[in-house]
């Protein structure tokens, strides 16, 4: 099941999609972060197939998508990729963060498909700290992955608000024309 949230600010959309138990927990923590609560409107939804279950989508508007996937085997990757490909054709930008649970043939194929359809795919494998020692506790890994995901979402959101914000042009100044 894909959980879909649209955060609207300054007339621009930042879309957050999550699939899997860990991804859904991260999704909820992102939505509770102060960055996303100030001056924004948040609408939560589910994705059925490749479209939101309710609500209209603007056909020409550029959007930013941040997708977090933790259960790659259970995800209908193909329908998600079709939706992202349509949005990217309109000039939207899409980043996918994958937290692999299993390393098997279906997950390798799914990651390959994601790489072909997203602007960026970040794979979070076993995390290491300092002297390249793997973290033992899954709780420690989950905490670090969550913090990393929230930080990444903040960065992408701020870039979305700045880069996709309507430009405020003051027009040309009359009287300052220069002829060559």
């Amino acid at each position: 099941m894909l959980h879909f949230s649209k955060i609207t600010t300054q007339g621009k959309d930042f879309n957050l999609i999550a699939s899997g138990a860990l991804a859904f927990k991260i999704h909820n923590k992102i939505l509770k972060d102060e960055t996303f609560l100030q001056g924004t409107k948040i609408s939560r939804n589910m994705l059925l197939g490749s479209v939101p279950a309710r609500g209209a989508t603007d056909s020409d508007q550029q959007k930013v998508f941040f997708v977090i996937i933790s259960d790659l085997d259970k995800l209908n990757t193909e329908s998600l990729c079709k939706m992202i490909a349509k949005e990217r054709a309109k000039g939207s930008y899409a980043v996918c963060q994958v937290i692999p649970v299993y390393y098997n043939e279906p997950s390798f194929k799914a990651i390959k498909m994601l790489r072909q359809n997203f602007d960026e795919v970040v794979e979070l494998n076993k995390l290491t700290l300092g002297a390249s020692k793997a973290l033992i506790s899954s709780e420690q890994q989950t905490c670090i992955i969550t913090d990393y995901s929230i930080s990444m979402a903040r960065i992408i959101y701020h870039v979305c608000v700045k880069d996709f914000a309507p430009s405020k042009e003051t027009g040309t100044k009359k009287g300052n024309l220069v002829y060559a």
Side-chain angles (χ1 to χ4, degrees):
M1 184 179 311
L2 295 173
H3 301 276
F4 179 82
S5 294
K6 180 169 68 171
I7 303 168
T8 305
T9 186
Q10 298 180 11
K12 299 300 169 188
D13 293 342
F14 175 76
N15 299 281
L16 185 62
I17 301 172
S19 174
L22 178 58
F24 183 65
K25 287 178 184 176
I26 294 170
H27 175 268
N28 285 334
K29 285 190 178 194
I30 290 171
L31 293 179
K32 292 176 185 173
D33 190 87
E34 287 180 25
T35 304
F36 303 101
L37 295 175
Q38 297 174 358
T40 62
K41 177 186 171 193
I42 298 174
S43 59
R44 296 179 73 130
N45 211 339
M46 301 293 233
L47 285 177
L48 299 175
S50 62
V51 294
R54 67 178 197 281
T57 57
D58 297 329
S59 59
D60 296 339
Q61 185 181 12
Q62 291 179 336
K63 300 173 188 152
V64 174
F65 291 86
F66 181 46
V67 180
I68 305 168
I69 301 171
S70 61
D71 294 339
L72 200 55
D73 290 341
K74 297 178 183 177
L75 174 68
N76 186 351
T77 308
E78 191 172 331
S79 64
L80 174 65
C81 287
K82 284 180 185 177
M83 181 196 78
I84 294 298
K86 286 179 190 174
E87 291 295 334
R88 284 185 64 211
K90 298 175 197 172
S92 295
Y93 187 76
V95 175
C96 182
Q97 176 182 295
V98 181
I99 306 163
V101 178
Y102 303 108
Y103 286 103
N104 55 23
E105 191 64 29
S107 67
F108 290 135
K109 288 180 181 178
I111 289 173
K112 182 179 178 183
M113 187 181 301
L114 291 169
R115 287 204 170 126
Q116 292 169 348
N117 289 283
F118 280 79
D119 292 295
E120 297 291 333
V121 175
V122 178
E123 231 183 304
L124 297 180
N125 297 328
K126 290 184 179 178
L127 298 171
T128 59
L129 290 176
S132 298
K133 292 183 180 180
L135 292 173
I136 307 236
S137 168
S138 63
E139 283 183 24
Q140 287 176 322
Q141 286 189 9
T142 300
C143 289
I144 291 174
I145 288 171
T146 301
D147 289 345
Y148 178 82
S149 301
I150 292 171
S151 296
M152 183 182 247
R154 279 189 205 122
I155 292 166
I156 296 169
Y157 172 76
H158 286 303
V159 169
C160 163
V161 171
K162 284 183 182 179
D163 287 350
F164 286 148
S167 61
K168 296 179 182 177
E169 294 182 22
T170 57
T172 58
K173 295 180 182 177
K174 294 182 180 179
N176 292 337
L177 298 175
V178 177
Y179 295 98

